[in-house]
Amino acid sequence: MKLPTYFLSHGGGPWPFMMDQVGHLYGKLDASLRDIPRQIGVTPKAVLVITAHWEGRDFMLSSSATPPMIYDYGGFPPHTYEVQYRAPGSPELAAQVKALLEAGGHKALLDPQRGFDHGTFSAMYPVYPNADVPIVQLSLKAGLDPQTHLEVGRLLAPLREQGVLIIGSGLSYHNLRAFNAQGASASHAFDQWLQQTMALPPAERSAQLMQWEQAPAARVAHPREEHLLPLMVVLGAAEQEAAAVPYHEDAFMGALAVSSFRFGEPAAP
């Protein structure tokens, strides 16, 4: 069975651990993430998360069997700095991904100290709340070249037939200086372009995405593109397959348009 790939707009900070306070803002995202196990129909052997919150000079892979936690946010309640998401790592998968990338000409390094950042644990907790599926994180590469990340995604494609779920964790709109009504127009313009682009035939879709800076409001939606780059990787891993939109909101945080995308067919309708 070939698993689909996902680009997830992962929300803000440690939101799944604050549902009593913010549940009204995150109900739709939470429901979409909790539905992923039903969509894929099987428990994956492991999850490979391409995280917007990790960049290296070369591609990096978390290779600990027991990854620690990274609380890479500020201004949240004290209990969110004690959150534990104890999913195991998979040194074996990390080594396999390293080999795949290097066979394709991309240097990759293992990092046995790297912990789960909030782009990983906040996205994965609703999907696998029991933390019982191994997770390996893959960094972005400095320079944030879209073609490089698309190519790496292509190299990862064989993992999908080996029971590995490939997830890109980012955000389709990520301008923290306009993360409110001020960003409404830009987020809607960019989201509309994304939706249209994802519906194009595969070759045209990839070509358009490589030119994302020419999209309407592109640099307002992404002053820095690290939260968009995971999309390039998961698209590359399912480049010939149709896109779907498992999550979309027009009024996230009251005003913003945000989306997640799935590539490849789900097991369940």
Side-chain angles (χ1 to χ4, degrees), residues 47-90:
V47 180
L48 178 65
V49 177
I50 300 92
T51 171
H53 291 273
W54 189 17
E55 298 173 34
R57 186 178 64 182
D58 299 297
F59 288 101
M60 306 288 293
L61 290 145
S62 61
S63 59
S64 172
T66 55
M69 301 290 288
I70 298 175
Y71 304 112
D72 54 339
Y73 41 76
F76 289 91
H79 78 271
T80 64
Y81 299 89
E82 299 175 1
V83 166
Q84 295 293 318
Y85 185 67
R86 290 299 192 186
S90 175

Side-chain angles (χ1 to χ4, degrees), residues 228-239:
L228 187 64
L229 265 290
L231 174 60
M232 316 296 181
V233 181
V234 299
L235 173 63
E239 196 169 10

Side-chain angles (χ1 to χ4, degrees), residues 215-267:
R219 278 299 180 187
V220 180
H222 291 280
R224 192 173 185 275
E225 57 265 44
E226 81 286 347
H227 273 70
L228 187 64
L229 265 290
L231 174 60
M232 316 296 181
V233 181
V234 299
L235 173 63
E239 196 169 10
Q240 302 305 312
E241 295 172 62
V245 185
Y247 164 70
H248 171 76
E249 290 195 53
D250 279 321
F252 182 65
M253 293 297 172
L256 303 174
V258 294
S259 297
S260 296
F261 298 97
R262 182 185 69 235
F263 301 95
E265 294 299 322

Side-chain angles (χ1 to χ4, degrees), residues 200-208 239-240:
L200 292 172
E204 190 176 350
R205 179 176 63 184
S206 294
Q208 287 285 336
E239 196 169 10
Q240 302 305 312

Side-chain angles (χ1 to χ4, degrees), residues 146-161:
Q147 186 68 42
T148 297
H149 289 81
L150 182 73
E151 291 170 0
V152 160
R154 292 168 178 160
L155 296 172
L156 298 175
L159 296 174
R160 299 174 54 208
E161 297 188 68

